[in-house]
Amino acid sequence: MTAGVSWARRVGAARVACASTGDTSASMAAYAAYAGLPSLVLLPENRISTEQLSQPIASGAKTLALAPDFDGCMRLVAELTRARPIYLLNSMNPIRIEGQKSIVWETIQQLGWRVPDWIVVPVGNAGNISALGKGLAEWRALGLLGPEGRMPRLAGVQALAANPVARSFRTGFSQRETVTAQPTVAQAIAIGDPVSYEKAKRVVLATGGVVTDATEDAIMDAKALVDAAGISICPNSATAVAGLRRLASEGVVRRGDLIVVIATAHGLKYSGTTVAYHEGRIDGVASNRANRPIHLPATLDAVLAALGEP
């Protein structure tokens, strides 16, 4: 997003805009505010967390909550930016992809120039996985992926409730699938018609990658597992972890593989979802790893009993 906003300023854009399920709007609004550019955000009403909604509002973006889902908001903002001189900053913007590809470069540098066997990433609008593939292809052309030029395999993971790319992959990408995204804990990737589908298809095929999906139970259980290790992640990032666990159980990913999972947002953006999971209040989710708060009278005996102490 830094690259996208910088380019918008370079070309003299009067305003920037995006459709968003939360994270894109937060980033765009913050960088636009710093650059002194007015920003406009189109959000699907009542489909993002309060914490996510707070971010573009706090950064001064004009924030419009609309009845359609993300795909409807995306179509409308694309129409708007064709009709008026407003610079579109969704991941269909090629400058955005130029910025996002640096994620994979930094990853390999941080691994001491070891090239991972797999890079696993959540997929919504498919910008991230497309950018990762572009960055890898460029580094291989430059000879920076080792003497063999071995490409990591890309694994994209979607929520089962919004899985058009996973459906397409299962047919060998013989046809492009679209879906009507259903409600999911992974709100930021609840996208039924991703704008970067063709780019994502190319990089998955080029790296011998895969695309899979994960149930609501699997997503939230994966989130609880990673959170309990001291790394707070959002449900969208947990979707990638859930997909990795599925791929491991299916024998696609093997023990000993060097695997990187890309986490796209901090868990504090979804604190309400986290508490609801641990209290067993998410409809249709079993909360298998729940760490329920315990309500006690304020006595030493009650505290000791909760600790299992005599």
Short mmCIF file of all heavy atoms in Angstrom, two decimals, residues 238-290:
data_model
loop_
_atom_site.label_atom_id
_atom_site.label_comp_id
_atom_site.label_asym_id
_atom_site.label_seq_id
_atom_site.Cartn_x
_atom_site.Cartn_y
_atom_site.Cartn_z
N ALA A 238 -5.39 -17.25 10.30
CA ALA A 238 -5.62 -18.60 10.81
C ALA A 238 -6.15 -19.52 9.72
O ALA A 238 -5.95 -20.74 9.77
CB ALA A 238 -6.59 -18.56 11.98
N THR A 239 -6.81 -18.95 8.72
CA THR A 239 -7.26 -19.76 7.59
C THR A 239 -6.07 -20.40 6.90
O THR A 239 -6.12 -21.58 6.50
CB THR A 239 -8.04 -18.88 6.60
OG1 THR A 239 -9.15 -18.29 7.28
CG2 THR A 239 -8.56 -19.69 5.43
N ALA A 240 -4.98 -19.66 6.76
CA ALA A 240 -3.77 -20.22 6.15
C ALA A 240 -3.21 -21.35 7.01
O ALA A 240 -2.78 -22.39 6.49
CB ALA A 240 -2.73 -19.13 5.94
N VAL A 241 -3.21 -21.16 8.32
CA VAL A 241 -2.71 -22.21 9.22
C VAL A 241 -3.60 -23.44 9.13
O VAL A 241 -3.10 -24.58 9.08
CB VAL A 241 -2.63 -21.68 10.67
CG1 VAL A 241 -2.14 -22.78 11.61
CG2 VAL A 241 -1.73 -20.47 10.76
N ALA A 242 -4.91 -23.23 9.11
CA ALA A 242 -5.83 -24.36 8.99
C ALA A 242 -5.60 -25.10 7.68
O ALA A 242 -5.64 -26.34 7.63
CB ALA A 242 -7.28 -23.87 9.08
N GLY A 243 -5.35 -24.36 6.61
CA GLY A 243 -5.07 -25.00 5.33
C GLY A 243 -3.78 -25.79 5.36
O GLY A 243 -3.70 -26.89 4.80
N LEU A 244 -2.77 -25.24 6.03
CA LEU A 244 -1.51 -25.97 6.18
C LEU A 244 -1.72 -27.28 6.93
O LEU A 244 -1.19 -28.33 6.53
CB LEU A 244 -0.49 -25.09 6.91
CG LEU A 244 0.81 -25.78 7.33
CD1 LEU A 244 1.54 -26.36 6.13
CD2 LEU A 244 1.70 -24.80 8.09
N ARG A 245 -2.50 -27.23 7.99
CA ARG A 245 -2.76 -28.46 8.75
C ARG A 245 -3.49 -29.49 7.88
O ARG A 245 -3.22 -30.69 7.96
CB ARG A 245 -3.58 -28.12 10.01
CG ARG A 245 -2.86 -27.18 10.98
CD ARG A 245 -3.71 -26.90 12.19
NE ARG A 245 -3.66 -28.01 13.13
CZ ARG A 245 -4.51 -28.18 14.13
NH1 ARG A 245 -5.53 -27.33 14.28
NH2 ARG A 245 -4.39 -29.19 14.95
N ARG A 246 -4.41 -29.00 7.06
CA ARG A 246 -5.12 -29.91 6.17
C ARG A 246 -4.15 -30.53 5.14
O ARG A 246 -4.19 -31.74 4.89
CB ARG A 246 -6.24 -29.17 5.45
CG ARG A 246 -6.96 -30.03 4.43
CD ARG A 246 -8.14 -29.32 3.78
NE ARG A 246 -8.78 -30.18 2.80
CZ ARG A 246 -9.89 -29.89 2.14
NH1 ARG A 246 -10.48 -28.72 2.35
NH2 ARG A 246 -10.40 -30.73 1.27
N LEU A 247 -3.30 -29.70 4.56
CA LEU A 247 -2.36 -30.20 3.56
C LEU A 247 -1.38 -31.20 4.18
O LEU A 247 -0.98 -32.17 3.53
CB LEU A 247 -1.59 -29.04 2.93
CG LEU A 247 -2.43 -28.09 2.07
CD1 LEU A 247 -1.62 -26.86 1.67
CD2 LEU A 247 -2.97 -28.80 0.83
N ALA A 248 -1.00 -30.96 5.44
CA ALA A 248 -0.13 -31.92 6.13
C ALA A 248 -0.85 -33.24 6.35
O ALA A 248 -0.28 -34.33 6.15
CB ALA A 248 0.35 -31.33 7.45
N SER A 249 -2.12 -33.17 6.76
CA SER A 249 -2.88 -34.41 7.00
C SER A 249 -3.11 -35.19 5.72
O SER A 249 -3.23 -36.42 5.75
CB SER A 249 -4.22 -34.08 7.68
OG SER A 249 -5.11 -33.44 6.76
N GLU A 250 -3.14 -34.49 4.59
CA GLU A 250 -3.34 -35.15 3.30
C GLU A 250 -2.05 -35.61 2.65
O GLU A 250 -2.06 -36.21 1.57
CB GLU A 250 -4.08 -34.19 2.36
CG GLU A 250 -5.51 -33.87 2.81
CD GLU A 250 -6.17 -32.77 1.99
OE1 GLU A 250 -5.48 -32.09 1.22
OE2 GLU A 250 -7.40 -32.58 2.14
N GLY A 251 -0.92 -35.31 3.32
CA GLY A 251 0.37 -35.73 2.79
C GLY A 251 0.92 -34.85 1.70
O GLY A 251 1.95 -35.18 1.08
N VAL A 252 0.28 -33.71 1.43
CA VAL A 252 0.79 -32.79 0.40
C VAL A 252 2.03 -32.07 0.92
O VAL A 252 3.05 -31.96 0.22
CB VAL A 252 -0.30 -31.77 0.01
CG1 VAL A 252 0.23 -30.78 -1.03
CG2 VAL A 252 -1.53 -32.50 -0.53
N VAL A 253 1.96 -31.60 2.15
CA VAL A 253 3.10 -31.01 2.84
C VAL A 253 3.70 -32.10 3.73
O VAL A 253 2.98 -32.80 4.43
CB VAL A 253 2.65 -29.80 3.68
CG1 VAL A 253 3.77 -29.31 4.57
CG2 VAL A 253 2.15 -28.68 2.77
N ARG A 254 5.01 -32.22 3.68
CA ARG A 254 5.67 -33.33 4.38
C ARG A 254 6.49 -32.84 5.57
O ARG A 254 6.97 -31.70 5.59
CB ARG A 254 6.57 -34.09 3.42
CG ARG A 254 5.82 -34.74 2.24
CD ARG A 254 6.78 -35.29 1.23
NE ARG A 254 7.57 -34.22 0.62
CZ ARG A 254 8.50 -34.42 -0.32
NH1 ARG A 254 8.75 -35.65 -0.74
NH2 ARG A 254 9.17 -33.40 -0.84
N ARG A 255 6.63 -33.71 6.55
CA ARG A 255 7.49 -33.41 7.69
C ARG A 255 8.90 -33.11 7.19
O ARG A 255 9.44 -33.82 6.35
CB ARG A 255 7.50 -34.60 8.66
CG ARG A 255 8.31 -34.34 9.93
CD ARG A 255 8.22 -35.53 10.86
NE ARG A 255 6.87 -35.73 11.36
CZ ARG A 255 6.35 -35.10 12.40
NH1 ARG A 255 7.09 -34.22 13.06
NH2 ARG A 255 5.12 -35.34 12.79
N GLY A 256 9.49 -32.07 7.71
CA GLY A 256 10.83 -31.67 7.29
C GLY A 256 10.84 -30.56 6.25
O GLY A 256 11.88 -29.95 6.00
N ASP A 257 9.68 -30.29 5.62
CA ASP A 257 9.61 -29.17 4.69
C ASP A 257 9.80 -27.85 5.43
O ASP A 257 9.34 -27.70 6.58
CB ASP A 257 8.25 -29.15 3.98
CG ASP A 257 8.11 -30.21 2.90
OD1 ASP A 257 9.13 -30.82 2.53
OD2 ASP A 257 6.97 -30.44 2.44
N LEU A 258 10.46 -26.90 4.79
CA LEU A 258 10.57 -25.55 5.33
C LEU A 258 9.37 -24.76 4.84
O LEU A 258 9.20 -24.55 3.64
CB LEU A 258 11.87 -24.90 4.88
CG LEU A 258 12.10 -23.44 5.34
CD1 LEU A 258 12.10 -23.34 6.86
CD2 LEU A 258 13.40 -22.90 4.75
N ILE A 259 8.54 -24.33 5.77
CA ILE A 259 7.24 -23.74 5.43
C ILE A 259 7.12 -22.36 6.06
O ILE A 259 7.43 -22.16 7.23
CB ILE A 259 6.09 -24.63 5.93
CG1 ILE A 259 6.21 -26.04 5.35
CG2 ILE A 259 4.74 -24.02 5.59
CD1 ILE A 259 5.39 -27.08 6.07
N VAL A 260 6.66 -21.41 5.27
CA VAL A 260 6.37 -20.05 5.76
C VAL A 260 4.87 -19.81 5.61
O VAL A 260 4.30 -20.05 4.54
CB VAL A 260 7.15 -19.00 4.95
CG1 VAL A 260 6.71 -17.59 5.34
CG2 VAL A 260 8.64 -19.16 5.15
N VAL A 261 4.24 -19.37 6.68
CA VAL A 261 2.84 -18.96 6.64
C VAL A 261 2.79 -17.44 6.74
O VAL A 261 3.36 -16.86 7.66
CB VAL A 261 2.02 -19.60 7.78
CG1 VAL A 261 0.59 -19.10 7.74
CG2 VAL A 261 2.06 -21.12 7.69
N ILE A 262 2.12 -16.81 5.80
CA ILE A 262 1.98 -15.36 5.80
C ILE A 262 0.75 -14.98 6.62
O ILE A 262 -0.37 -15.35 6.29
CB ILE A 262 1.84 -14.80 4.38
CG1 ILE A 262 3.03 -15.23 3.50
CG2 ILE A 262 1.69 -13.29 4.40
CD1 ILE A 262 4.36 -14.67 3.93
N ALA A 263 0.99 -14.25 7.71
CA ALA A 263 -0.11 -13.74 8.54
C ALA A 263 -0.38 -12.30 8.11
O ALA A 263 0.54 -11.49 8.05
CB ALA A 263 0.25 -13.81 10.01
N THR A 264 -1.63 -11.99 7.82
CA THR A 264 -1.95 -10.72 7.20
C THR A 264 -2.51 -9.66 8.16
O THR A 264 -2.66 -8.50 7.75
CB THR A 264 -2.96 -10.93 6.05
OG1 THR A 264 -4.10 -11.62 6.56
CG2 THR A 264 -2.33 -11.78 4.95
N ALA A 265 -2.83 -10.02 9.39
CA ALA A 265 -3.35 -9.02 10.34
C ALA A 265 -3.20 -9.54 11.76
O ALA A 265 -3.16 -10.75 12.01
CB ALA A 265 -4.82 -8.69 10.05
N HIS A 266 -3.14 -8.61 12.69
CA HIS A 266 -3.00 -8.94 14.11
C HIS A 266 -4.34 -9.35 14.71
O HIS A 266 -5.40 -8.86 14.30
CB HIS A 266 -2.46 -7.71 14.87
CG HIS A 266 -1.91 -8.03 16.22
ND1 HIS A 266 -2.72 -8.23 17.31
CD2 HIS A 266 -0.64 -8.21 16.64
CE1 HIS A 266 -1.96 -8.50 18.37
NE2 HIS A 266 -0.69 -8.49 17.99
N GLY A 267 -4.28 -10.25 15.67
CA GLY A 267 -5.49 -10.75 16.30
C GLY A 267 -6.30 -9.71 17.04
O GLY A 267 -7.51 -9.88 17.23
N LEU A 268 -5.66 -8.61 17.45
CA LEU A 268 -6.40 -7.58 18.18
C LEU A 268 -7.44 -6.89 17.31
O LEU A 268 -8.33 -6.21 17.83
CB LEU A 268 -5.44 -6.55 18.78
CG LEU A 268 -4.63 -7.04 19.99
CD1 LEU A 268 -3.69 -5.96 20.47
CD2 LEU A 268 -5.54 -7.50 21.12
N LYS A 269 -7.34 -7.07 15.98
CA LYS A 269 -8.39 -6.53 15.11
C LYS A 269 -9.67 -7.34 15.23
O LYS A 269 -10.71 -6.93 14.70
CB LYS A 269 -7.92 -6.54 13.66
CG LYS A 269 -6.83 -5.52 13.34
CD LYS A 269 -6.61 -5.45 11.84
CE LYS A 269 -5.59 -4.40 11.49
NZ LYS A 269 -5.47 -4.21 10.03
N TYR A 270 -9.59 -8.47 15.90
CA TYR A 270 -10.74 -9.38 16.02
C TYR A 270 -10.91 -9.84 17.47
O TYR A 270 -11.20 -11.00 17.73
CB TYR A 270 -10.56 -10.60 15.11
CG TYR A 270 -10.60 -10.26 13.64
CD1 TYR A 270 -9.45 -9.86 12.98
CD2 TYR A 270 -11.79 -10.31 12.92
CE1 TYR A 270 -9.47 -9.54 11.64
CE2 TYR A 270 -11.83 -9.99 11.57
CZ TYR A 270 -10.66 -9.61 10.94
OH TYR A 270 -10.70 -9.29 9.61
N SER A 271 -10.73 -8.93 18.41
CA SER A 271 -10.80 -9.32 19.81
C SER A 271 -12.18 -9.87 20.18
O SER A 271 -12.30 -10.80 20.97
CB SER A 271 -10.43 -8.14 20.71
OG SER A 271 -11.29 -7.04 20.46
N GLY A 272 -13.24 -9.30 19.59
CA GLY A 272 -14.58 -9.80 19.87
C GLY A 272 -14.77 -11.23 19.41
O GLY A 272 -15.37 -12.06 20.11
N THR A 273 -14.22 -11.55 18.24
CA THR A 273 -14.31 -12.91 17.72
C THR A 273 -13.53 -13.87 18.61
O THR A 273 -13.97 -15.00 18.88
CB THR A 273 -13.76 -12.96 16.28
OG1 THR A 273 -14.50 -12.05 15.47
CG2 THR A 273 -13.86 -14.36 15.69
N THR A 274 -12.37 -13.43 19.08
CA THR A 274 -11.54 -14.27 19.94
C THR A 274 -12.28 -14.61 21.23
O THR A 274 -12.34 -15.79 21.65
CB THR A 274 -10.21 -13.57 20.26
OG1 THR A 274 -9.52 -13.29 19.04
CG2 THR A 274 -9.34 -14.43 21.16
N VAL A 275 -12.84 -13.61 21.87
CA VAL A 275 -13.55 -13.85 23.13
C VAL A 275 -14.77 -14.73 22.88
O VAL A 275 -15.04 -15.67 23.66
CB VAL A 275 -13.96 -12.51 23.78
CG1 VAL A 275 -14.86 -12.75 24.99
CG2 VAL A 275 -12.72 -11.72 24.19
N ALA A 276 -15.50 -14.47 21.81
CA ALA A 276 -16.68 -15.29 21.49
C ALA A 276 -16.30 -16.75 21.29
O ALA A 276 -17.03 -17.67 21.71
CB ALA A 276 -17.38 -14.73 20.26
N TYR A 277 -15.17 -17.01 20.64
CA TYR A 277 -14.72 -18.39 20.44
C TYR A 277 -14.45 -19.06 21.78
O TYR A 277 -14.91 -20.18 22.05
CB TYR A 277 -13.45 -18.41 19.58
CG TYR A 277 -12.79 -19.78 19.52
CD1 TYR A 277 -13.23 -20.73 18.62
CD2 TYR A 277 -11.74 -20.11 20.37
CE1 TYR A 277 -12.64 -21.99 18.55
CE2 TYR A 277 -11.13 -21.35 20.32
CZ TYR A 277 -11.59 -22.30 19.41
OH TYR A 277 -11.00 -23.55 19.37
N HIS A 278 -13.71 -18.40 22.63
CA HIS A 278 -13.32 -19.02 23.91
C HIS A 278 -14.51 -19.15 24.87
O HIS A 278 -14.48 -19.99 25.77
CB HIS A 278 -12.17 -18.24 24.55
CG HIS A 278 -10.86 -18.47 23.85
ND1 HIS A 278 -10.17 -19.67 23.92
CD2 HIS A 278 -10.13 -17.67 23.04
CE1 HIS A 278 -9.07 -19.60 23.20
NE2 HIS A 278 -9.02 -18.40 22.66
N GLU A 279 -15.53 -18.35 24.65
CA GLU A 279 -16.74 -18.48 25.46
C GLU A 279 -17.78 -19.38 24.79
O GLU A 279 -18.88 -19.55 25.31
CB GLU A 279 -17.34 -17.11 25.74
CG GLU A 279 -16.47 -16.25 26.67
CD GLU A 279 -17.11 -14.92 27.03
OE1 GLU A 279 -18.06 -14.51 26.32
OE2 GLU A 279 -16.68 -14.30 28.01
N GLY A 280 -17.45 -19.93 23.63
CA GLY A 280 -18.35 -20.84 22.94
C GLY A 280 -19.58 -20.17 22.37
O GLY A 280 -20.65 -20.78 22.31
N ARG A 281 -19.43 -18.93 21.88
CA ARG A 281 -20.59 -18.16 21.42
C ARG A 281 -20.63 -17.93 19.92
O ARG A 281 -21.39 -17.09 19.45
CB ARG A 281 -20.62 -16.82 22.15
CG ARG A 281 -20.87 -16.90 23.64
CD ARG A 281 -21.10 -15.52 24.25
NE ARG A 281 -19.87 -14.74 24.36
CZ ARG A 281 -19.53 -13.74 23.56
NH1 ARG A 281 -20.33 -13.38 22.56
NH2 ARG A 281 -18.41 -13.08 23.74
N ILE A 282 -19.82 -18.64 19.14
CA ILE A 282 -19.88 -18.49 17.69
C ILE A 282 -20.75 -19.61 17.12
O ILE A 282 -20.42 -20.79 17.26
CB ILE A 282 -18.48 -18.52 17.05
CG1 ILE A 282 -17.60 -17.41 17.62
CG2 ILE A 282 -18.59 -18.39 15.53
CD1 ILE A 282 -16.19 -17.39 17.07
N ASP A 283 -21.85 -19.26 16.51
CA ASP A 283 -22.77 -20.26 15.96
C ASP A 283 -22.06 -21.16 14.96
O ASP A 283 -21.36 -20.69 14.06
CB ASP A 283 -23.95 -19.57 15.26
CG ASP A 283 -24.89 -18.87 16.23
OD1 ASP A 283 -24.82 -19.20 17.44
OD2 ASP A 283 -25.67 -18.01 15.78
N GLY A 284 -22.23 -22.46 15.17
CA GLY A 284 -21.67 -23.42 14.23
C GLY A 284 -20.21 -23.73 14.43
O GLY A 284 -19.62 -24.50 13.66
N VAL A 285 -19.58 -23.15 15.45
CA VAL A 285 -18.17 -23.41 15.74
C VAL A 285 -18.07 -24.13 17.08
O VAL A 285 -18.62 -23.67 18.09
CB VAL A 285 -17.35 -22.10 15.77
CG1 VAL A 285 -15.92 -22.36 16.23
CG2 VAL A 285 -17.35 -21.46 14.38
N ALA A 286 -17.36 -25.26 17.09
CA ALA A 286 -17.34 -26.12 18.28
C ALA A 286 -16.44 -25.61 19.40
O ALA A 286 -16.57 -26.05 20.54
CB ALA A 286 -16.89 -27.53 17.87
N SER A 287 -15.53 -24.68 19.11
CA SER A 287 -14.60 -24.15 20.12
C SER A 287 -13.83 -25.27 20.82
O SER A 287 -13.80 -25.38 22.04
CB SER A 287 -15.35 -23.29 21.15
OG SER A 287 -15.93 -22.16 20.55
N ASN A 288 -13.16 -26.10 20.02
CA ASN A 288 -12.46 -27.26 20.56
C ASN A 288 -11.27 -26.90 21.43
O ASN A 288 -10.85 -27.71 22.27
CB ASN A 288 -11.98 -28.15 19.40
CG ASN A 288 -13.13 -28.73 18.61
OD1 ASN A 288 -14.03 -29.35 19.17
ND2 ASN A 288 -13.13 -28.51 17.30
N ARG A 289 -10.71 -25.71 21.26
CA ARG A 289 -9.56 -25.28 22.06
C ARG A 289 -9.93 -24.10 22.97
O ARG A 289 -9.08 -23.28 23.30
CB ARG A 289 -8.40 -24.90 21.14
CG ARG A 289 -7.81 -26.09 20.39
CD ARG A 289 -6.64 -25.68 19.51
NE ARG A 289 -6.02 -26.83 18.90
CZ ARG A 289 -5.02 -27.54 19.45
NH1 ARG A 289 -4.54 -27.19 20.62
NH2 ARG A 289 -4.51 -28.59 18.83
N ALA A 290 -11.17 -24.06 23.39
CA ALA A 290 -11.64 -22.92 24.20
C ALA A 290 -10.91 -22.85 25.53
O ALA A 290 -10.65 -23.86 26.19
CB ALA A 290 -13.14 -23.03 24.43
#
